[in-house]
Amino acid sequence: MLVSFEGLDGSGKTTQVERLRRRLEAEGRAVVTAREPGGTPLGEEIRALVLHGHEMTPWAEALLYAAARAELVAEIVAPALERGDDVILDRYLDSSVVYQGVAR
């Protein structure tokens, strides 16, 4: 199972990820959680660059988020799903569509 929590900053996504993780683990399920961007060493570096780096064009920002996502899927999400683990993400593609595609 793959679940992503989407929403505005401060809307409680991280809290809900943690609540669902605890609930699923209490049922004996293996659960992997991650945030986007981030979740991998490269993803965390990209997160820092986007949040605290120099100004960049919307296209550059969107491509950096896509790179972080590609790494997260390859290194964390796909292997977890192949093992049969549940994956809960604090943001995923929907956030990029809204923030980089519309709001930016």
Side-chain angles (χ1 to χ4, degrees):
M1 170 175 52
L2 172 64
V3 175
S4 68
F5 284 87
E6 307 284 350
L8 300 172
D9 289 342
S11 64
K13 295 175 304 297
T14 304
T15 299
Q16 294 305 315
V17 166
E18 182 60 21
R19 291 182 71 190
L20 181 56
R21 180 194 63 78
R22 285 194 312 259
R23 174 82 180 244
L24 292 172
E25 287 180 344
E27 295 175 4
R29 299 172 74 142
V31 179
V32 173
T33 63
R35 68 180 182 177
E36 188 179 292
T40 66
L42 177 61
E44 292 299 328
E45 288 183 34
I46 291 171
R47 179 185 188 87
L49 178 63
V50 170
L51 295 178
H52 307 294
H54 299 284
E55 282 289 317
M56 64 185 73
T57 65
W59 276 111
E61 183 179 281
L63 291 170
L64 286 171
Y65 277 105
R69 182 175 306 110
E71 187 78 0
L72 180 69
V73 169
E75 298 293 323
I76 306 295
V77 175
L81 293 173
E82 288 170 6
R83 289 190 306 269
D85 296 350
D86 295 323
V87 178
I88 309 170
L89 299 176
D90 188 332
R91 291 202 171 129
Y92 193 54
L93 182 60
D94 292 339
S95 287
S96 288
V97 170
V98 171
Y99 287 106
Q100 283 72 48
V102 178
R104 187 106 154 86

